[in-house]
Amino acid sequence: MTVINATTVDQVVSALREYPQARLVQGGTDVMVEVNLNRARVHDVISLRRVNELRRWHVDEESGTLRIGAGVPYAEMERAPLCLHVPALGEAARTVGAPQIRATGSLGGNLGTCSPAGDGLPVLSALDAIVHLRSADDARDVVVHDFMLGVKQNAKRADEVIVAITVPLLVGFQGYAKVGMRNAMVISAASACLVHDADNGNVRLAFGAVAPTIVRARAAEVWLAERVSLRNSMSLDGAIAREFGQLAAKECAPIDDHRSTADYRRHAVAVLAERLLLRAAEKQGRDE
Ligand SMILES: Cc1cc2nc3c(=O)[nH]c(=O)nc-3n(C[C@H](O)[C@H](O)[C@H](O)COP(=O)(O)OP(=O)(O)OC[C@H]3O[C@@H](n4cnc5c(N)ncnc54)[C@H](O)[C@@H]3O)c2cc1C
């Protein structure tokens, strides 16, 4: 087994060209589970841990965006100053595993694994994030919805590394919530991220763990925008929020498995969406 300890992205993509079967490892919190359970035969490894470029983030005031390196750990996302820029990402990061997992697990790894239960992914979907990929030959940007293809399937080529993710900086409420078999240290049985873009007058809603990949509840988003003024305001009652949640849940395709039943998942996402929308309206009311 060859282990390459890269220190730059250039070294990573050169190594991928030389060892096309090599496995990229950032935090190792997914890869090592696969290895320990004998689900993956890892011959060569390219470690990303010492690639500082992957562990940086910065705000671009001009474009109103935040670029997060693929290797930034959840422990950094859950705390200020990073969580102040993207509160939903902070909330999602706080729900991931235990402190040990958050100290090393990353969005690059969440996207690399592409489990429908990945906690970072509904947030990236609701924010219409862009995934930045590099290979030895080129660089390309992929909208996160085109990147996530199915259960543990994504659009990354074998010769590519995810270098960063860009999300917009928005004015308005952002929230993430998940349901599992216990309150902490739990993989989602159902999850939801709701973002209110008050400047552009829209609400975006994404669900996790209720379909082969993350679901954007686009029909419910349109339904809400036709009924409620969302630009710099949001006045709604409980009945609207409940109907919004129920409509959104219809856009999911959950299954029965060891974590939950399809029926419970459908119920759970309806309630999560309703509660997140009410929280968004409450925040907007306070801010006005
Ligand atoms: C005890 C435990 C609890 C957990 N709890 C949660 C939880 O609550 N929520 C949750 O979402 N996840 C959870 N996980 C799963 C895991 O922590 C996350 O998916 C995490 O985001 C993986 O990040 P990583 O850096 O450790 O990835 P790694 O294990 O290093 O990599 C995962 C995959 O992504 C690829 N990859 C990594 N970085 C890149 C990159 N830059 N470019 C291209 N491909 C890359 C790897 O090749 C691999 O295929 C848990 C895991 C454990 C062991």
Side-chain angles (χ1 to χ4, degrees):
M1 177 194 272
T2 305
V3 178
I4 294 149
N5 281 303
T7 55
T8 63
V9 170
D10 284 342
Q11 286 177 7
V12 174
V13 293
S14 302
L16 278 171
R17 176 177 266 173
E18 195 173 342
Y19 299 93
Q21 304 302 323
R23 196 73 187 267
L24 297 171
V25 179
Q26 178 65 56
T29 61
D30 277 327
V31 174
M32 292 317 296
V33 173
E34 280 182 57
V35 169
N36 290 341
L37 295 177
N38 274 331
R39 285 196 197 131
R41 293 241 170 276
V42 176
H43 298 295
D44 303 311
V45 166
I46 303 171
S47 169
L48 305 176
R49 251 188 114 63
R50 293 185 193 158
V51 184
N52 289 335
E53 294 161 74
L54 299 178
R55 296 174 74 105
R56 294 196 193 112
W57 60 269
H58 78 271
V59 167
D60 182 347
E61 300 285 358
E62 208 174 313
S63 61
T65 57
L66 168 77
R67 184 178 163 110
I68 312 170
V72 172
Y74 293 112
E76 198 165 343
M77 291 176 231
E78 69 183 308
R79 287 196 298 260
L82 185 43
C83 74
L84 301 177
H85 297 295
V86 196
L89 196 55
E91 286 188 8
R94 277 175 221 123
T95 75
V96 173
Q100 294 88 335
I101 298 296
R102 299 200 291 275
T104 181
S106 65
L107 280 182
N110 223 210
L111 284 163
T113 299
C114 222
S115 157
D119 284 308
L121 306 183
V123 179
L124 299 186
S125 171
L127 289 169
D128 292 323
I130 306 290
V131 181
H132 305 288
L133 296 150
R134 273 271 314 273
S135 70
D137 300 319
D138 67 354
R140 63 184 182 121
D141 295 342
V142 181
V143 179
V144 73
H145 308 110
D146 296 331
F147 184 83
M148 302 183 292
L149 299 181
V151 180
K152 301 198 172 178
Q153 285 180 341
N154 62 42
K156 188 186 85 61
R157 296 193 311 252
D159 64 342
E160 288 179 318
V161 59
I162 304 164
V163 285
I165 299 104
T166 294
V167 294
L169 298 170
L170 301 177
V171 174
F173 170 86
Q174 298 184 4
Y176 178 78
K178 86 184 195 187
V179 172
M181 291 207 275
R182 47 181 188 261
N183 281 338
M185 268 296 286
V186 70
I187 301 291
S188 298
S191 64
C193 177
L194 184 139
V195 169
H196 177 209
D197 178 353
D199 286 344
N200 291 305
N202 61 60
V203 158
R204 306 184 215 156
L205 176 65
F207 293 133
V210 285
T213 189
I214 305 304
V215 171
R216 258 299 279 278
R218 294 190 193 273
E221 291 174 9
V222 171
W223 179 89
L224 185 69
E226 285 170 356
R227 274 153 192 85
V228 176
S229 164
L230 299 169
R231 193 181 297 271
N232 302 320
S233 69
M234 193 195 289
S235 167
L236 51 83
D237 58 25
I240 292 257
R242 198 166 314 116
E243 196 167 348
F244 171 72
Q246 285 164 0
L247 282 171
K250 289 190 181 146
E251 298 183 56
C252 303
I255 54 164
D256 293 337
D257 68 8
H258 60 290
R259 292 205 182 96
S260 188
T261 62
D263 281 349
Y264 180 72
R265 285 185 155 113
R266 225 175 264 113
H267 170 73
V269 287
V271 173
L272 293 179
E274 175 186 344
R275 287 184 186 165
L276 286 169
L277 185 62
L278 288 172
R279 276 174 59 196
E282 204 180 302
K283 178 183 185 312
Q284 192 61 38
R286 280 199 309 270
D287 292 350
E288 276 168 26

